Amino acid sequence: MKEKIIEKLSEIVGDRLLTDIDERVSYGYDASFGQYMPDYVVQVMSAEEVREIIQLANTYEIPIYPRGASTSLSGGPLPVHAGIVMDFSQWNQYLEIFPDDLLIKASPGVKTGDIHQLAEEHNLMYPPDPSSSSICTIGGNLAENAGGPRGVKYGVTKDFVLGLEVVTAEGEIIRTGGNTVKNVTGYDLTKLLIGSEGTLGIITEATLRLIPKPMDTKTAMVIFDDLYTAGKSISKILTSGVRPSKMEILDQNAINKVEDYARLHLPRTAAAILLVEVDGDPDALTKELNVIQRALLEIEVDNVQIAKTKEEEARLWQVRKLVSPAIVQSGYTKISEDATVPLSKIPDMFRKIDEVKKKYNLNIVVFGHAGDGNLHPTINTNMRDAEEVSKVEDAVEEIFRYAIELGGTLSGEHGIGTMKKPFFPVEVGEAGMLFQKAIKQALDPKNILNPGKIFPEAGEKRLVLKND
Amino acid sequence: MTETLIEKLDYQATFDCVQCGYCLPACPTYLAFKKEKHSPRGRINLVKMAAEGKIGIEDMREGIDLCLGCRACETVCPTNVRYGDILMSAVEVLKDNKKMGIFEKGVRRAAFKVVLKNKQILRLVNKGLYAYQISGVKRLINRRNLLNPMEKYRDLNKAMPDVRLSRRLKNPPNPFRKSAIQVGFFQGCIMDVFFNRINDLAVKILSRHGMEVTNIPSQACCGALQHHAGEHNQTVELAKKNIEAYEAYDFDYIVNTIGGCGATLKEYPKLFKEGTEWHRRAVNFTAKIRDISEMMAIVDLNFQYEVSKNAIFQPSCHLENVQQVFEDPLKIIKSIPGLNYIELKDKALCCGSAGIYNILHFEESMQILDMKMKNVKVARPELIITSNPGCHIQMQLGVEREGLSDEISVKHIVEVVAEACGI
C-alpha cells in the first residue's frame, strides 16, 4: 500500500517527495509543542500538483497537513494523525505587484517580508506584520489569519485579502472573491477560508490589498507607576481622537529583562511602559502626539517621552524587539500565549496574570499589542521538569478561561491548532461548535484536510504541552 | 562506563531551541538544498530525536555532514541556542559510530595527526608547492587543460594561490624603541603554507604602526580542522600547546589574519571544564586573541596611496558569527583612499568553503558558491576582499568558474591595506 502511494506521489512531484526518516522527522514539528512523524512529505510547486495529491488522498483517505515555514505557535501544521505533509515553503516563485490596482498576487510560499518589501518599493504598504515576517509564508498567514503590531490601526490578514485560489477537499480548483474591494457576489468564502487553518481547503494563491505607505512615523514612550493606570490609559489614548499605528506594552518584568540584556537606560522601577507610534503626514504627527499627551494628563499620566530623532525612535522599537531574546534563559523553553480581551479589561487581565504567576510560582513576563487587547504572557519553563510543566499547563488554562470570562478570546492571532482545541467549546459553546463542524463536514466529509485541529477530539479537555 | 547518547550529544542545549525558524533565512545550506533537515532548526531536532532514540544515530549523518559550520544561525538566533556545541557533539558521535575505511583513516591520520601538527612537514608541503609552481607544472596544467576531465581539480588548481617559499617570519627587534604594544603573532598552518606573504605584510603593518611583533617558534596548529572533524582529544592537545607557548611571553595581544583560526583560539575555554586550571589559562589566553582587522581598526592607518577599485567584502563566517567582529573590517575598508566600497547582497552568507567542506562535499559547496556568485555578478566589483584563506581560495574559485578572472581580483584585507600604506 505504502509503496503504491509513494509511486503515485512521486509521479506527481518527482524528487520533491521525501520519505526517508530523517526527512520526515524534520517536518513533524512547529514552534509550538509536540513531535509527530508524517508518512510522506511533498514539496508542492503548483495548484495542479496540489489538486492531484488531494485527489489521491481523497481516494485512499490519507490526511494532508499544509505547512509553510512552520513558525506556528499553535500546532497548525503538525501531522498529528500521520499522512502527508504538504510543504509550501519552496513555492515562492510567483510574486507580482499591480501598483495601479493597489494589489499584489502571491504564491503561498512567498515570505511575508518579501511582500512588505515589494509593496514599499512602490510606495505602498501591506500592513499585517507578524513578528516572524522575515521567515513566515503568506500561505501560513492566511491559514492562521495572522496579526501583528499594526493591527490596532489597520487590522489583520483577513482585512487585506481580496481573493483566493483554493483547492477543495474534492480536488477542484476554485476562486473566491476577486480583485476589487467591493464584491458581494455570493458568500464571503474568502473570509471563511482565512483563519480556517487549512481545514476547509488548501490556498494556492492570494490576491492582497495594499494601501499607500504612510509618509512618516513618530513614537512616544509612556511610563507608568502602576499597572492599573497603564491599562486605563490604553482606552484613553484610543478615544482621544488619534489612532496610533502601534501600541505595545511591556510590564516591569519585561522592562527589567530587556535592561539586563541590553542596557538601554529603561526605567527599571516603572510598573509598565507603553510604546505608542503614530504614522502619516509628518506635520500632523507632533500634533497627534500632543493630543495623546493631553488626554493622558486627564488621568494624571505625565511621564511621556517623545523620540526626537529617528535614531531615538529606532532605539525605542529596539526595546520591544529585544523582549523575546531577553526573556530567554538558557535551558528553559519559552511558551508564548496570545489570549486577547476587550480593551477596557486589560487592567483585569494584567492583575489575573500577576495572580497566576504568584499562585504557581512561575516565571511569567507580559508584553504585547496593547492597542487591540492582544497580550502575550510568556512563560519560561523547564520542559524536562514534569512537575513544572504540569504547573504551566494549569496556569495557561487559568489564563485562557479568564480571557473568555472577560468576553475575550483564546487566541488573538496564533490560531487554535492543537494547543487550544480543548477550550474551543468553552468559548464558542456546544451549538457554536456544532455549527462550525457542520461547515467542516460539508466541505471535507472524509476529514482529510488537516485533521486533529481546532475541534477537540473525544476526551480532550485539558491543555497538554507534551505528547510523549 | 559508556556514556549514554543523551550525555554524549548536547541534548540539554537542544531544549533552548524553540523551533521559531528565525535561522532558516540565514542558513546557506537551507537556502541551497531547500529542505528542513539542512537547516539549523532541522539539525537540532535531528540531534534531539537521536538522543531520545526516536531515530538512529546514522539518521543524523546527512544533515550534520552537510552543515558548513558557519554558525550564521547563532548570530540571528533570538534564544541564543549554542548551535556550535550541539553540532560538534553530533559530529563526534557520528565519527565514533562510523566504521572508517582504511583510506579515510589514513587520510585523517595524515592530515590531522601528522601534517597539520607539524610545522616542518608543512614547510615541506610549501616547498613542494613552490617547486610545482616554479617548475611550470601549474602553468602547464592550466594551459594544456590537463585536468579538464576532472572539473573539480581543474578549478581548484586554478584557484590555488601562487605560493611563495615560506620563511620564518622575521621579527627584527628595534633596540632604539620600546613600543607601547607587544604583539605575539599567530601564523596558522594553511595561511603559512599558501599565504605567508599576507602574514609578512600583516607583521609589517603592525610594526609600521608602532607595535612590536614577535612570531614565536613554539606555536602549534589552532586545531580548527581537527575540532570540526570531531577529533576532540587532538584539539585539546593543540590548545594546551598553544596556551603554554604564548604564556611564556608577555604579550598584550595575540594576533592572527585568519577568521577561522581566530575563532577556534577564541573558543579554547569551551574545551576545558569550568573551574579547572586549564580553563582559567584558556580564558586568559583567549582574552588576548585579536583578528588583524581589530588591530588595524585601533590604529590610525597611515595611508599613502589610493586603491582606485570598486570593491566588495566577503566576511569570514567565523570572524563574524564566532569572533563577533562585524564592523572593524568594514570601517577599515571604507577608510582606504580611492576605494569605492559596494555592499554585496547577503554578504553574511557563507561562500561554501568552510574549512575542508569544499573538498569533502564538492558538489554541494559549488551550489552554495553559485548563490554567492549570483550576488557578486550583480555588484560587479573589480576587487573581492576577504579575511580568511579558505574564503579567499573559494572566492577565487568562484571568479574562475564564472570566467571573470580578468575582471575581478581577490585579495586579503591585509594586502589591500598594505598596498594603500605603501608596504
Side-chain angles (χ1 to χ4, degrees), chain B residues 272-380:
Chain B
F272 305 101
K273 227 178 137 180
E274 253 177 86
T276 60
E277 181 61 11
W278 271 111
H279 184 265
R280 188 192 60 77
R281 290 168 75 179
V283 169
N284 287 344
F285 172 80
T286 291
K288 294 181 179 177
I289 302 295
R290 296 289 184 282
D291 182 71
I292 185 71
S293 54
E294 292 178 273
M295 296 307 289
M296 294 195 295
I298 57 170
V299 297
D300 206 0
L301 288 168
N302 183 14
F303 293 126
Q304 316 254 335
Y305 300 97
E306 293 203 341
V307 180
S308 304
K309 290 262 168 70
N310 292 319
I312 57 170
F313 176 54
Q314 170 57 42
S316 144
C317 297
H318 283 188
L319 184 60
E320 292 203 326
N321 304 316
V322 184
Q323 298 201 53
Q324 301 290 312
V325 175
F326 294 90
E327 294 305 320
D328 288 342
L330 286 178
K331 187 184 136 195
I332 297 161
I333 290 167
K334 286 176 184 169
S335 71
I336 294 171
L339 186 142
N340 176 36
Y341 173 72
I342 304 165
E343 176 81 8
L344 171 67
K345 184 169 177 267
D346 294 334
K347 74 174 191 304
L349 280 186
C350 179
C351 63
S353 160
I356 51 172
Y357 189 96
N358 54 356
I359 296 168
L360 295 176
H361 308 287
F362 185 75
E363 301 300 328
E364 290 85 357
S365 162
M366 290 305 112
Q367 261 178 278
I368 289 159
L369 179 58
D370 288 346
M371 292 196 309
K372 177 63 64 185
M373 292 312 292
K374 222 160 104 186
N375 291 327
V376 170
K377 282 190 281 184
V378 172
R380 276 266 155 216

Side-chain angles (χ1 to χ4, degrees), chain A residues 33-34 383-386 389 393 464-468, chain B residues 15:
Chain A
F33 296 89
M383 289 300 287
R384 285 144 291 179
D385 180 345
V389 170
E393 289 168 350
V464 180
L465 294 173
K466 278 193 155 176
N467 72 324
D468 52 1
Chain B
F15 282 86

Side-chain angles (χ1 to χ4, degrees), chain B residues 134-301:
Chain B
I134 52 168
S135 67
V137 177
K138 179 175 177 185
R139 245 177 310 138
L140 186 75
I141 286 179
N142 278 344
R143 194 178 319 135
R144 290 275 174 88
N145 286 333
L146 287 182
L147 291 175
N148 244 5
M150 298 159 78
E151 186 203 33
K152 169 171 174 173
Y153 298 107
R154 183 195 65 203
D155 287 344
L156 267 177
N157 185 53
K158 275 195 192 165
M160 279 308 190
D162 285 343
V163 173
R164 288 190 330 153
L165 197 55
S166 162
R167 262 169 261 117
R168 286 210 177 282
L169 284 170
K170 279 200 249 28
N171 48 314
N174 183 342
F176 301 108
R177 197 191 60 218
K178 176 77 189 140
S179 74
I181 300 178
Q182 293 289 324
V183 170
F185 200 75
F186 182 89
Q187 59 192 23
C189 322
I190 305 289
M191 203 67 187
D192 188 41
V193 173
F194 292 111
F195 298 98
N196 58 66
R197 195 181 86 91
I198 292 170
N199 275 343
D200 278 354
L201 290 172
V203 170
K204 281 183 189 154
I205 291 171
L206 295 176
S207 309
R208 245 344 141 75
H209 291 85
M211 295 177 217
E212 191 157 318
V213 188
T214 311
N215 190 43
I216 66 171
S218 45
Q219 62 184 286
C221 166
C222 69
L225 294 179
Q226 290 85 343
H227 195 212
H228 299 162
E231 303 282 356
H232 178 76
N233 295 342
Q234 292 181 40
T235 317
V236 171
E237 195 188 315
L238 289 166
K240 286 182 174 175
K241 242 182 171 168
N242 276 320
I243 293 168
E244 239 161 16
Y246 284 88
E247 273 174 349
Y249 300 79
D250 183 25
F251 293 127
D252 298 309
Y253 300 108
I254 301 165
V255 177
N256 71 87
T257 59
I258 317 122
C261 300
T264 300
L265 298 175
K266 283 187 182 174
E267 288 206 317
Y268 273 179
K270 283 193 175 187
L271 296 170
F272 305 101
K273 227 178 137 180
E274 253 177 86
T276 60
E277 181 61 11
W278 271 111
H279 184 265
R280 188 192 60 77
R281 290 168 75 179
V283 169
N284 287 344
F285 172 80
T286 291
K288 294 181 179 177
I289 302 295
R290 296 289 184 282
D291 182 71
I292 185 71
S293 54
E294 292 178 273
M295 296 307 289
M296 294 195 295
I298 57 170
V299 297
D300 206 0
L301 288 168

